[in-house]
Amino acid sequence: MINYEEFLNERILNIKPSGIRKFFSIAEEMDNVISLGVGEPDFLTPWHIRQKGIENLERGATRYTANAGLITLREEISRFYNRKYNVKYDPKNEITVTVGGSEGIDMCIRSLVCPGDEVLVIEPSFVCYKPIVEMCGGVAVPLETKNENNFRLTAKELEDAVTDKTKLLILPYPNNPTGAVMRKDDLVAISKVIKSHNLFVLSDEIYSELTYGDQKHFSIAAVTGMKERTVVINGFSKTYSMTGWRLGYALGPEPVIKQMTKLHQYAIMSAPTTSQQAAIEALRNGDEDIRKMILDYDMRRRYAVNAFREIGLDCFEPEGAFYIFPCIKSTGLSSEEFCERLIMSKRVAVVPGNAFGDSGEGFIRVSYCYSIDNIREAVKRISEFLKELGVFNGD
């Protein structure tokens, strides 16, 4: 009998599967489950974007593109970041188109991180950063953000975490799972620490357009002296509800983008041609689609925050993305226990906070990119669950 572990890469063997997908998989095997676990918009990709993809298929535009993507798309991405976030990128040398934002994150980390390098990973945060760092032989150092600071990174927290081995800071804002947002003043403050220690930044801005209130997203690349030491990752999945189209992009200094494109060249060749053509349409004519989706998300956001507070769970008010991060410490259960008992007894799937790092223990992530009827029914079931635990005695 073959011992496959003798053949498999030990680094890969030691990496745990995603804690998000665990509960999603459980939900798929059960009846009458309301899943608020996966961060996927419930909107269809807007018709005019789908139509552009269909048109290009019909005319036979199905060949490879340049490794870095269609130049027309890169030009539109450049215009988008200039008009939205006041940062200029050369479409020929400072932008590469990727298979989703996830590939961009992977390529950036693999291009920068060497064995033994320390990478500061904001926590709680999306699940992929730490495993990719470890696959490269780097050391992922958790940088805990706190509820009392609205889950923002402070300059002091960053300064205290830096060592002589620190090379890269991963900055994922608007944040998944908390919904936290870093404002301009926050970014200016931490940029001083970044520059003083000669660090590089991976700024994951996949939720950049999904912010609420008067202040819009501000990119750290727009801070003086930061564009040249930052790779920005973004994409079309969240902003335009194009998850299955698998299209993202990276923006950054030419020497880094060149190496990332080389990795992309050998691993992927080029992003899907049809998706790239549809993305051009999204960037040119999709602003109104974004506005409509934000209005709907904002309504759900306000409802969800108030509803969870009313049933007795403390809930930070998110300013971005489409998640809330209620605290469940009052129940006396761990995040894993809470989620397991909830799905088994009430058929509601949410994600334990510790799936996003140890600092997420005592919280759960709830996605509100689902219909208001599903959210309302889920809150009702969670309220019943809390009553059975003896935690909530309200009406």
Side-chain angles (χ1 to χ4, degrees), residues 117-121 123 129-131 133-134 137-143:
D117 286 341
E118 290 184 357
V119 178
L120 298 177
V121 181
E123 288 189 355
Y129 311 122
K130 181 181 176 182
V133 170
E134 292 174 345
V139 179
V141 178
L143 186 47

Side-chain angles (χ1 to χ4, degrees), residues 93 253-263:
N93 303 311
E254 180 180 352
V256 181
I257 294 298
K258 182 178 180 180
Q259 300 311 309
M260 291 175 62
T261 305
K262 186 196 300 180
L263 281 173

